[in-house]
Amino acid sequence: MKRSDLVTKGKQQAPSRSLFRAAGFTEEEMNKPLVGIVSSYNEIVPGHVNIDKVVEAVKMGIAMAGGTPVVFPAIAVCDGIAMGHIGMKYSLVTRDLIADSTEAMAMAHQFDALVMVPNCDKNVPGLLMAAARINVPTIFVSGGPMLAGHIKGEKTSLSSMFEAVGANVAGLISDEELCEFENKACPTCGSCSGMYTANSMNCLTEVLGMGLSGNGTIPAVYSKRIRLAKQAGMQVMELYRNNIRPRDIMTKEAILNAITVDMALGCSTNSMLHLPAIAHEVGMDFEIGFANEISAKTPNLCHLAPSGHAYMEDLDAAGGVYAVMAELNKANLLNTNCITVTGKTVGENLADVKNLDEDIIRPIDNPYTKTGGLAILKGNLAPEGSVVKRAAVSDKMLVHKGSAKVFDNEESALTAIENGSIQKGDVVVIRYVGPQGGPGMPEMLNPTSAITGMGLGEDVALITDGRFSGASRGAAIGHVSPEASKGGTIGLIKDGDIISINIPEYKLEVELSDEELENRRKDFIPNEPEIKTGYLARYAKLVGSAARGAILE
């Protein structure tokens, strides 16, 4: 019996069948497995404007393999467009909206299988969470990354665009040069061209076993992406026939593989929000601190933008995510017995894979660093942890002490950076922007880009209970937990306090005695979130610590 028989078979379901017929379904279509295609297509997010073509290819693949494709939507926010205003508060919170709404649609209509077609930051993890909950045969095929821009003979991307604004404010580039960046930094549709959050999560769908090879790296504008979509549509029918489900694939071992490859790729710090949330859906308790154990033994093999001058198209040409995994497998760093959507194990998938460009994917015996691209820092300032993209931090800033300049919102911090109030050596602290305090844990790309664009990237650190875009670089430490709104130490810091950062030793401290911190805590009343109504107010009441993925509790 198919799941969809509950809505298409028997006299009691005659009313349901009449509604299917009203939608144009034939008897033959109702007799085949119903495969839901979750389409994230919209006309405002550049990573999603091509998804209609991907969906059409998926539909063709499903039909060729004997299924009935049925499309329904998922929302997606463009973080770049939402940046720097109230819209940024609505980015992370969409992850849970996407998971909830997809669960509701899939369960209400009893689909036999699903194809998820996401692309951007919260869209991919939201659908991975939904896949784990619904647990019917599911495959992912994303919209793909955009090609890099070209300015003055060099490749560029969205992070360069944000930094150009800071450079313009500092008088380092002209208005005409800024306009050139605006017109050339993002030349095609697709998710932004560096190893930012969207591409990080799309790459990790391959590692988790939920996407076919190339899903994370084939550019959006390549015809190969359309062929991949047709293959995914056909492959979901194989998953259906063999009853291979997301919880068979996204096991604890697969999650650990994802963290390992995350470290090798130098993924966005946001992966340390999303992997714990996905793990939670499959019943794994993921406390981010243990990621350091994996980082300590995992070499960093890739420096993609913003950490370096390579882009997603370069990673794809070098062999993609599977080539990175093959290098890691040489050191036995992966569990190769995990099953994947190919119907084969990780080990079988990697059997004939080669690294095609050792400048883009360093060999396992010649890494950029012997430890991973991310680090979890703890200490009296972040007892539950904080996250930094170590691969994007200059050697000069790996160990740093500086005087705190404290701000209770992003806007005041950005103003101070742009008017020259931040000096070399300072540590900018932005608080009350965590999951609850934001609410919604907005990204701090504008401040980090301003710091870098004004030439302070190797002299100024920024710490926050909010988060960073994958496009951020420099000594940017986010996810400080507990957050200020929940009484965290970050809420006690004052201007002039000395903050000590030691990334190699995984430490983040404010140089205050326990007695002084306790005295300050006696009079401390955290600021309440400013937004009191609507979805954000409900979210603030339910959301948990960033250290456990900012899941709703």
Side-chain angles (χ1 to χ4, degrees), residues 375-394:
I376 310 302
L377 312 184
K378 289 190 174 184
N380 67 353
L381 185 47
E384 294 178 2
S386 61
V387 185
V388 63
K389 191 169 185 175
R390 173 166 47 189
V393 180
S394 74

Side-chain angles (χ1 to χ4, degrees), residues 285-340:
D285 185 22
F286 183 161
E287 193 279 316
I288 62 170
F290 86 85
N292 283 337
E293 299 173 25
I294 295 175
S295 179
K297 61 183 180 181
T298 305
N300 178 227
L301 304 181
C302 299
H303 269 190
L304 288 99
S307 303
H309 299 290
Y311 294 82
M312 296 306 296
E313 63 206 62
D314 302 314
L315 179 59
D316 186 63
V321 176
Y322 273 26
V324 177
M325 294 173 72
E327 289 291 347
L328 293 171
N329 199 35
K330 292 176 183 177
N332 299 313
L333 292 172
L334 298 176
N335 186 313
T336 56
N337 295 319
C338 297
I339 195 70
T340 71

Side-chain angles (χ1 to χ4, degrees), residues 392-394 397 448 450-461 473-475:
V393 180
S394 74
M397 292 295 289
T448 58
I451 288 169
T452 301
M454 295 179 75
L456 297 171
E458 295 192 357
D459 299 286
V460 171
R473 61 190 176 111

Side-chain angles (χ1 to χ4, degrees), residues 146-313:
M146 71 171 62
L147 297 178
H150 290 265
I151 299 176
K152 293 181 173 58
E154 296 200 1
K155 288 183 177 180
T156 189
S157 64
L158 184 66
S159 54
S160 304
M161 180 69 251
F162 275 91
E163 290 171 12
V165 175
N168 179 259
V169 170
L172 302 176
I173 65 171
S174 67
D175 289 352
E176 290 75 16
E177 288 172 305
L178 180 63
C179 186
E180 183 180 12
F181 272 93
E182 181 180 330
N183 282 290
K184 295 180 179 178
C186 299
T188 73
C189 64
S191 48
C192 297
S193 56
M195 188 54 78
Y196 311 144
T197 307
N199 291 326
S200 295
M201 294 309 302
N202 280 321
C203 287
L204 294 183
T205 61
E206 293 187 46
V207 188
L208 288 167
M210 293 298 293
L212 297 174
S213 177
N215 185 55
T217 59
I218 298 171
V221 294
Y222 284 11
S223 57
K224 188 178 178 183
R225 173 68 54 179
I226 300 301
R227 297 197 298 272
L228 181 75
K230 292 175 183 176
Q231 292 163 355
M234 291 186 280
Q235 188 59 28
V236 79
M237 296 309 299
E238 288 300 308
L239 296 173
Y240 167 74
R241 293 183 186 104
N242 292 297
N243 197 30
I244 298 175
R245 304 180 182 216
R247 288 184 207 164
D248 300 323
I249 296 171
M250 290 193 288
T251 59
K252 178 180 179 180
E253 291 74 21
I255 298 285
L256 296 177
N257 280 349
I259 301 170
T260 300
V261 178
D262 184 308
M263 297 297 175
L265 281 171
C267 290
S268 163
T269 52
N270 282 311
S271 62
M272 287 296 107
L273 272 179
H274 301 319
L275 286 175
I278 295 161
H280 174 75
E281 297 293 346
V282 298
M284 175 186 173
D285 185 22
F286 183 161
E287 193 279 316
I288 62 170
F290 86 85
N292 283 337
E293 299 173 25
I294 295 175
S295 179
K297 61 183 180 181
T298 305
N300 178 227
L301 304 181
C302 299
H303 269 190
L304 288 99
S307 303
H309 299 290
Y311 294 82
M312 296 306 296
E313 63 206 62

Side-chain angles (χ1 to χ4, degrees), residues 89-90 92-94 96-97 432-442 483-486 527-546 550-553:
K89 297 177 185 294
Y90 284 89
L92 177 61
V93 304
T94 64
D96 297 273
L97 275 176
Y432 293 108
V433 289
Q436 181 186 78
M441 206 178 182
E483 62 178 290
S485 287
K486 292 194 174 183
N527 296 347
E528 292 187 3
E530 294 179 2
I531 295 176
K532 305 294 185 184
T533 60
Y535 178 55
L536 287 179
R538 295 197 302 275
Y539 181 90
K541 292 178 181 177
L542 297 173
V543 70
S545 171
I551 58 176
L552 300 184
E553 297 175 344

